[in-house]
């Protein structure tokens, strides 16, 4: 098994396990830092953390272990995290829009599919990275997006906009209740 395949399989498992634990982290601890990392309510926004943080954390570990460093690593990983998050948002709103209600096991399945898709995307991009991923501009843009997402998770956890993305469907509230 080649290096990319091995790391992507491990990353998928890591993300599924850590993402699942992050779902309960804030409930277990109630701390400010854990609010940034874990879901503070049942909104879609809060559930995006469950895929974002594990992918980024695992990517850091993975990058430290690679020799030689893969070309376009940061742009590919940031894009795969964004694609997973986009898949979660689109899938959730599509099925709840059609059915008119939420199904917990389907939400879990969406998380699993989003995670697997993120790492499959990364695997194929690492195998043959396109020039657009390996430019200094792509790396710069990836850093900006990564920092922007982190800032958004910090700010919107405590001060969420009054939009459906941030609405907890269970409590009908926003942010930390």
């Amino acid at each position: 098994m080649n290096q990319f395949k091995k790391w992507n399989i491990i990353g998928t498992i890591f993300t599924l396990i850590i993402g699942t634990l992050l779902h309960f982290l804030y409930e277990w601890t109630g701390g400010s830092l854990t609010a940034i990392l874990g879901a503070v309510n049942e909104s879609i926004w809060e559930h995006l953390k469950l895929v974002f943080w594990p992918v980024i954390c695992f990517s850091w570990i993975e990058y430290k272990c690679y020799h030689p460093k893969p070309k376009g690593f940061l742009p590919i990983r940031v894009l795969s995290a964004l694609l997973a998050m986009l898949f979660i948002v689109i899938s959730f709103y599509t099925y709840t829009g059609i059915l008119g209600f939420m199904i917990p096991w389907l939400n879990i399945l969406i998380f699993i599919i989003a995670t697997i898709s993120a790492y499959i995307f990364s695997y194929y991009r690492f195998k043959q990275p396109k020039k657009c991923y390996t430019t200094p501009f792509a790396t710069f843009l990836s850093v900006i997006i990564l920092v922007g997402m982190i800032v958004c998770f910090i700010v919107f956890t405590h001060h969420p906009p009054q939009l459906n993305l941030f609405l907890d469907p269970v409590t009908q509230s926003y942010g930390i209740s």
Side-chain angles (χ1 to χ4, degrees):
M1 190 179 330
N2 71 31
Q3 186 176 11
F4 294 130
K5 186 180 279 188
K6 177 183 83 173
W7 278 104
N8 281 281
I9 291 170
I10 294 168
T12 300
I13 295 166
F14 177 89
T15 300
L16 291 171
I17 292 170
I18 300 301
T20 301
L21 293 174
L22 287 178
H23 187 273
F24 304 102
L25 182 66
Y26 180 74
E27 183 182 328
W28 292 337
T29 64
S32 271
L33 179 60
T34 60
I36 295 164
L37 300 175
V40 300
N41 64 35
E42 293 298 319
S43 72
I44 294 304
W45 173 259
E46 291 297 317
H47 283 75
L48 296 180
K49 296 175 185 179
L50 309 184
V51 74
F52 177 80
W53 289 117
V55 167
I56 297 307
C57 179
F58 183 78
S59 296
W60 181 79
I61 294 166
E62 180 183 16
Y63 185 78
K64 291 292 184 186
C65 294
Y66 267 128
H67 298 289
K69 305 296 186 205
K71 292 179 180 179
F73 184 84
L74 184 62
I76 290 169
R77 277 294 191 228
V78 169
L79 187 55
S80 55
L82 291 175
L83 289 172
M85 292 169 27
L86 186 62
F87 179 83
I88 289 170
V89 171
I90 291 170
S91 299
F92 176 81
Y93 284 117
T94 299
Y95 98 78
T96 57
I98 292 168
L99 298 178
F101 56 91
M102 191 172 60
I103 303 171
W105 67 263
L106 193 50
N107 295 343
I108 294 167
L109 182 61
I110 288 170
F111 168 68
I112 293 168
I113 293 170
T115 299
I116 292 169
S117 298
Y119 285 98
I120 288 173
F121 173 83
S122 291
Y123 172 72
Y124 285 106
R125 294 296 73 122
F126 285 146
K127 277 179 66 172
Q128 295 179 328
K130 295 180 180 178
K131 185 168 173 57
C132 63
Y133 300 123
T134 61
T135 65
F137 178 73
T139 302
F140 173 75
L141 186 58
S142 299
V143 169
I144 297 299
I145 291 169
L146 184 60
V147 170
M149 286 304 304
I150 292 169
V151 168
C152 286
F153 281 128
I154 292 168
V155 172
F156 294 155
T157 294
H158 298 287
H159 307 287
Q162 305 294 299
L163 301 170
N164 279 345
L165 183 66
F166 302 91
L167 177 65
D168 181 343
V170 175
T171 65
Q172 296 298 305
S173 64
Y174 296 88
I176 300 172
S177 2

